[in-house]
Amino acid sequence: MSTAGFETLCLPADAALFARLARLLIDRHGDALADCDLLLPVMAHAPVLRGALLAEAGHALFMPRMLTPALLAARWQGDAPVDPHPRRLLHLVAQLRQQTWLGDVDPWSAAQELLELADALAALPAPPDENALQQGFERAHGLADSAALSLEARLVHAVWHSDCTGTPGHARAVTQALMRAAGAARRPLIHLSARVEPAPAWLELHAARVPVLNVLATRALTDTPVARVLHAAWPPVSPPVLTHAPSRDDALELAGRVRLVGAQSLEQEAQCAASCIAGWLSEGRRNIALVALDREAARRTRALLERRQVLLADETGWKLSTTRAAATVDALLQCFASDGYHRDLLDLLHSPHVAGSLDRDDHAQAIAAIDDWVVRRNHVDGLHALLTDAGREFAGCPAGRLIDALSRAFALMPTHNAPASFRVERLLAALDALGARAALAQDAAGAQVVNLLEQLRADSSGVALDLSFADWRKWLNSEFEQALFRDSAIDSPVVLTPLAATRLRRFDAVYVIGADSRHLAPVRLRGVLGHEGLRRELGLPDSQVAAGQLRDDLAGLIACSDQTVFSWQTQRNGEANLPGVDLQRLDLVLQRAGLPSAICSAPSLADPPPLPELVVSSAPVLDPARVPSRLTASGLADLMACPYRYYARHVLGLGAGDEVEDAMGKGSVGELVHRVLHDFHVAHPRLADAAPPALADALRAQIAAAFDGAIARNFQEHAWADRLHDRADAYIAWAVQRESDGWLFDSGEARRAHVLELPDGAALSLEGRIDRIDRNAEGDVALLDYKLRSAERVRKTLQADDVQLAFYTVLEGGAVSEAAYLALEEDVPVAFIQDDPPAAAQALLSLVSELFPALRNGASLPAHGDEAACLHCDMRGLCRKDWLA
Ligand code: SF4
């Protein structure tokens, strides 16, 4: 190969490919090989080829210069300007927004698609002109003479044309750099391709100056027992080969090297993959690939392997958007977008990158304090309320410093439409205000996130398109989705890699995870403009080509590896999940050759080790020192309903934590009603002084004020407010009648305590808060307890072992002559009066005086709630009543 010219040669793509290529090169070039350039599909092939050349030469050898097309292009890129993808996308969206014919089509998706199409066209030797494009569109759509299609064609052509004549995008810049390299070529070139495809224009241009050997590796030329079975299952498209039903011996050979494994769950699949890879390592295999078709299952497998001290070298990396660092940026934006919605706010605060100047302990303390504030204030959302109210309350505390940092950060975020670069600039400043940029820079993924933001700021500068916050976030998210994070510090015998990266590589063993019909399938190209037919018309690869490439990749993987395992989950979301179509075909071919199906089940998950014998008790006995010295009405009610529940709630202090309610629960409405009635009666101690309609209006005004904030947050709270408004007249009528019966409002929300001397010498403090206390002219006292319940439910409460009214009677002392519940969940309030309050109070005192000394004496607290008590009990899992019964 001494004179310029182009020669194509096909070699079988099997495990001996590099040995054959080495022999060919040494035969042709001998010592002059060092003067050649060798272009490989990926640099991972270089060490294999070097080894093969040394083995073939049998002595030390000056190696040819080995590169990939991408590396060669990078050398010739120089200072040539490139239009970065983020800027191209913004420019194109700005232009598409002026196109009315796009209708409801999302301009971001259309722009993305157009850019992909323009990038694909960049590799074509002679891209079509506008007319050819239009005819292509018309043929692809089966239409003729369509004005809309003509516009589409013009659009695609305009994007392609601006890519050609303006500053090129990355794909065209690579092609142009390769053309420049070809124009200056002085060394013979050997080009190895893993695909049988027409030579690119830059390679042919090389051939005008230097000898070019284009080596195409194709599985169609391999003729081994394994290859014959693979040809029968997946006939090669180019060049086509005649296939026959494989012999049983050929099928046996392949079946010994391939396993198809169905797992019942993600966990089972990951366990199977991790055990299989660990087994290969213990057998001494040192060149193993985990092909990640399903990233979720691969992620779990990686975690399981790391638990066994096996790290994976990740060749592809994970989407940057899936890292914790990117989640911090997203949490900041989400908190801003949702106006400080409490869950988003807490997500942001919990990020380790958002600690500002606080140390670890102060940060934890600040989070706990704000968390508590959010629940206490039932802060659903509202950044302004958070930043002002919480900022005031926490002034001088660690939480206050965190709130200050949030205030500064959110003040920087533009609230109006603004160019992307301005928004990124402000985002970076907001991260600085939170101390997050410096914290992010401390870890590899965080540093990459910061670099990406700085790059995006530079790439989008000068684009005048004003974006809303939502549009800008969409753009930013798509850039985070495209960026990859790779931890290149790990060197391991196990590589995590995509299927395409395994081309022409040899492995001791390969595990392909997620090989179901969804993941093991060619990419389907659907879109607004670049659909299948159009791609074919434009001479671009379509999904048929992609399907052929997928089969070539699978066949290459099996042919070049000693062992290959494919696994998938047989069930997904409760539906049957089949293996990839190509695997089904392979299994069918094996069965037609007389073998049983190659599909087997993954080993069942190991049973968890038996737990040590637990001492279970649902009737604890208290140490005398642990018997409580305080008692509330609800505590006593628990003790009466179920002693174990009393133990869990009031001795252990367990219970469901308070949560922020997006929509008000009945408990919160009840509290609000208590407050409204209390404030109303304090403001109107003598109802006779005003006319009932005026009183009802005043009550309605108080209801409206109390529900104001809740309605602003959630319009549905109107329903509660309206209900109470409607009942205001009836309540006033009842209250006026009560007053004319002689009972005057005296006080409300009254806290009381009564210390009881017990027979065993101990003291018990009874404590509580009485909703309302009325008095009459004789000095008698009446206690009222408001219940936001129906009359029927309140009646049942009184019939059961109720202790609440008696408890309040004890708290108030001897003058109580009336104690009643007032049912408010009715059109007209209904009072339920206890028969003899002093007698009930005396009975309660006797009961308590017996119970608490008994507890100190070793009486147990059994879980024996009845059906009604257990129905809504939050200790149900703890008491184990359902299991021990
Ligand atoms: S579920 Fe029933 S038995 Fe168990 S603690 Fe609750 S009330 Fe008691």
Side-chain angles (χ1 to χ4, degrees):
M1 207 162 63
S2 54
T3 54
F6 193 88
E7 182 186 0
T8 297
L9 202 82
C10 290
L11 289 181
D14 57 15
L17 169 72
F18 287 102
R20 281 199 201 93
L21 180 60
R23 200 170 311 134
L24 176 84
L25 296 181
I26 287 177
D27 285 351
R28 287 198 175 199
H29 296 279
D31 287 344
L33 190 57
D35 298 327
C36 298
D37 280 349
L38 226 163
L39 290 186
L40 300 168
V42 290
M43 281 312 283
H45 297 138
V48 188
L49 184 56
R50 272 193 211 107
L53 285 169
L54 282 176
E56 188 58 34
H59 56 77
L61 196 70
F62 285 111
M63 291 289 162
R65 184 167 62 179
M66 296 190 196
L67 295 161
T68 62
L71 285 173
L72 180 63
R75 288 183 173 205
W76 284 87
Q77 188 86 41
D79 294 334
V82 178
D83 201 8
H85 179 270
R87 189 182 305 161
R88 289 170 86 203
L89 188 62
L90 289 171
H91 272 308
L92 199 49
V93 167
Q95 284 164 18
L96 287 180
R97 280 193 172 162
Q98 291 161 15
Q99 304 290 335
T100 48
W101 62 270
L102 267 179
D104 291 340
V105 172
D106 174 22
W108 294 95
S109 322
Q112 190 69 42
E113 205 182 312
L114 278 169
L115 290 183
E116 280 166 16
L117 211 51
D119 285 349
L121 287 171
L124 290 187
D129 63 19
E130 197 176 322
N131 277 342
L133 266 176
Q134 186 180 341
Q135 283 164 17
F137 268 91
E138 287 171 358
R139 276 194 300 277
H141 286 272
L143 293 171
D145 203 18
S146 158
L149 293 182
S150 151
L151 275 170
E152 284 184 35
R154 227 180 297 159
L155 193 59
V156 175
H157 187 264
V159 173
W160 168 80
H161 190 256
S162 83
D163 193 38
C164 292
T165 52
T167 309
H170 178 72
R172 181 163 298 280
V174 166
T175 306
Q176 289 174 349
L178 287 171
M179 294 299 263
R180 279 198 294 280
R186 287 202 304 263
R187 291 157 62 93
L189 184 72
I190 301 130
H191 176 244
L192 175 65
S193 172
R195 305 160 69 155
V196 179
E197 57 189 1
W202 56 266
L203 198 57
E204 288 180 352
L205 189 61
H206 258 91
R209 294 178 56 87
V210 293
V212 172
L213 174 62
N214 189 28
V215 180
L216 304 178
T218 169
R219 69 183 176 101
L221 297 182
T222 51
D223 187 23
T224 59
V226 167
R228 285 194 289 274
V229 184
L230 294 174
H231 288 169
W234 309 322
V237 181
S238 178
V241 292
L242 275 178
T243 58
H244 307 279
S247 69
R248 186 180 160 78
D249 286 348
D250 289 352
L252 271 172
E253 174 93 21
L254 183 123
R257 289 169 53 170
V258 176
R259 276 169 56 208
L260 309 180
V261 182
Q264 285 185 350
S265 64
L266 182 142
E267 186 59 25
Q268 195 183 25
E269 187 182 18
Q271 294 266 11
C272 174
S275 312
C276 190
I277 290 170
W280 286 334
L281 284 170
S282 63
E283 286 167 13
R285 298 179 200 253
R286 288 293 174 266
N287 184 15
I288 298 168
L290 173 60
V291 176
L293 299 180
D294 177 350
R295 300 293 288 180
E296 199 185 354
R299 208 184 267 261
R300 179 67 188 137
T301 305
R302 179 158 81 167
L304 291 171
L305 283 169
E306 280 174 2
R307 227 187 261 172
R308 300 181 189 207
Q309 314 293 322
V310 178
L311 297 182
L312 269 63
D314 191 348
E315 290 191 342
T316 39
W318 305 95
K319 283 183 180 174
L320 193 59
S321 57
T322 62
T323 60
R324 186 73 191 90
T328 296
V329 176
D330 192 57
L332 172 62
L333 297 177
Q334 182 54 32
C335 191
F336 183 70
S338 65
D339 191 26
Y341 180 62
H342 62 281
R343 296 213 176 104
D344 298 330
L345 169 73
L346 294 174
D347 262 2
L348 174 63
L349 294 180
H350 277 94
S351 163
H353 303 114
V354 179
S357 56
L358 301 177
D359 63 22
R360 206 186 160 103
D361 288 349
D362 281 353
H363 187 212
Q365 199 187 326
I367 293 172
I370 296 173
D371 201 337
D372 177 63
W373 182 89
V374 162
V375 174
R376 240 182 322 117
R377 293 284 300 262
N378 199 38
H379 168 88
V380 178
D381 54 25
L383 266 180
H384 182 71
L386 166 77
L387 300 179
T388 51
D389 296 0
R392 208 176 304 127
E393 182 169 333
F394 293 122
C397 314
R401 280 162 39 213
L402 203 49
I403 296 282
D404 274 355
L406 283 177
S407 296
R408 278 180 274 117
F410 287 128
L412 286 162
M413 304 295 277
T415 50
H416 51 277
N417 286 3
S421 60
F422 179 73
R423 285 189 177 278
V424 179
E425 171 77 45
R426 290 303 187 90
L427 172 60
L428 283 164
L431 289 172
D432 280 338
L434 291 171
R437 189 167 2 176
L440 284 166
Q442 301 298 314
D443 69 72
Q448 204 172 319
V449 164
V450 172
N451 286 343
L452 177 64
L453 287 173
E454 288 169 350
Q455 187 63 48
L456 287 174
R457 177 180 54 186
D459 288 349
S460 58
S461 69
V463 182
L465 175 67
D466 280 345
L467 296 176
S468 66
F469 178 78
D471 266 353
W472 170 71
R473 202 164 164 213
K474 204 184 273 187
W475 170 78
L476 192 70
N477 285 349
S478 77
E479 296 299 331
F480 269 88
E481 281 292 300
Q482 284 174 33
L484 294 176
F485 169 66
R486 193 159 79 85
D487 187 351
S488 52
I490 299 172
D491 186 23
S492 166
V494 187
V495 292
L496 182 65
T497 190
L499 183 59
T502 63
R503 281 174 203 153
L504 305 186
R505 288 170 73 181
R506 198 196 167 284
F507 294 100
D508 294 343
V510 178
Y511 196 104
V512 184
I513 196 162
D516 58 26
S517 50
R518 184 161 70 94
H519 293 98
L520 188 63
V523 182
R524 293 207 72 79
L525 303 157
R526 282 203 201 96
V528 186
L529 303 158
H531 68 85
E532 285 281 312
L534 174 66
R535 291 183 70 87
R536 264 196 297 275
E537 286 294 339
L538 295 177
L540 298 174
D542 58 9
S543 57
Q544 243 174 326
V545 175
Q549 183 62 57
L550 176 64
R551 287 190 208 117
D552 285 351
D553 288 346
L554 292 175
L557 201 61
I558 295 172
C560 296
S561 310
D562 299 342
Q563 279 286 313
T564 310
V565 178
F566 295 89
S567 73
W568 66 94
Q569 293 160 49
T570 54
Q571 297 263 331
R572 270 198 184 250
N573 305 322
E575 307 249 329
N577 189 36
L578 295 173
V581 175
D582 293 321
L583 295 187
Q584 294 179 45
R585 280 180 69 118
L586 182 63
D587 190 41
L588 214 56
V589 166
L590 292 176
Q591 290 183 53
R592 286 181 62 192
L595 299 190
S597 168
I599 298 177
C600 60
S601 299
S604 350
L605 295 175
D607 288 335
L611 293 171
E613 194 75 4
L614 289 175
V615 180
V616 290
S617 168
S618 289
V621 173
L622 294 184
D623 187 272
R626 294 186 69 200
V627 175
S629 58
R630 299 167 66 198
L631 183 66
T632 60
S634 70
L636 183 57
D638 280 338
L639 188 58
M640 301 307 294
C642 171
Y644 188 90
R645 185 156 86 189
Y646 172 79
Y647 165 74
R649 283 186 180 164
H650 305 275
V651 179
L652 298 181
L654 303 177
D658 287 339
E659 283 188 358
V660 174
E661 294 172 328
D662 287 352
M664 291 177 83
K666 205 159 181 180
S668 305
V669 177
E671 275 180 30
L672 221 54
V673 169
H674 276 68
R675 212 171 74 215
V676 165
L677 293 180
H678 173 257
D679 292 351
F680 171 78
H681 284 294
V682 168
H684 303 85
R686 278 187 59 84
L687 301 178
D689 293 347
L695 291 171
D697 285 346
L699 181 57
R700 275 191 275 268
Q702 283 193 324
I703 292 169
F707 276 85
D708 230 19
I711 291 171
R713 280 197 302 272
N714 185 348
F715 189 73
Q716 290 176 14
E717 313 300 5
H718 245 306
W720 276 114
D722 289 352
R723 224 146 101 189
L724 296 170
H725 269 247
D726 291 348
R727 292 176 185 164
D729 289 315
Y731 179 81
I732 295 297
W734 173 86
V736 168
Q737 181 59 47
R738 181 170 175 78
E739 195 174 282
S740 51
D741 289 346
W743 290 113
L744 271 177
F745 175 82
D746 179 75
S747 56
E749 304 287 307
R751 292 195 174 277
R752 297 281 188 271
H754 173 88
V755 178
L756 183 64
E757 298 293 334
L758 296 171
D760 62 357
L764 182 68
S765 173
L766 310 186
E767 298 169 3
R769 191 175 62 181
I770 302 168
D771 286 350
R772 171 168 165 181
I773 302 170
D774 290 354
R775 284 184 197 278
N776 63 14
E778 288 76 42
D780 293 335
V781 172
L783 307 180
L784 271 180
D785 193 73
Y786 299 127
K787 296 279 183 215
L788 195 64
R789 295 186 200 156
S790 67
E792 180 59 17
R793 278 196 60 198
V794 177
R795 189 178 54 75
K796 283 186 182 160
T797 306
L798 257 185
Q799 283 172 355
D801 292 338
D802 180 58
V803 292
Q804 198 178 356
L805 290 177
F807 196 93
Y808 292 157
T809 305
V810 170
L811 290 184
E812 188 53 22
V816 176
S817 62
E818 185 182 304
Y821 289 128
L822 188 65
L824 295 170
E825 190 62 317
E826 296 288 343
D827 290 342
V828 175
V830 182
F832 289 87
I833 300 171
Q834 196 177 38
D835 283 344
D836 185 353
Q842 196 49 51
L844 182 135
L845 285 174
S846 309
L847 177 76
V848 170
S849 301
E850 267 179 41
L851 277 177
F852 277 74
L855 289 180
R856 251 184 296 278
N857 262 336
S860 66
L861 293 156
H864 68 196
D866 61 17
E867 211 175 309
C870 297
L871 191 60
H872 300 296
C873 177
D874 46 9
M875 298 301 150
R876 191 157 190 146
L878 191 69
C879 74
R880 297 181 294 271
K881 181 189 174 194
D882 295 333
W883 290 275
L884 299 179

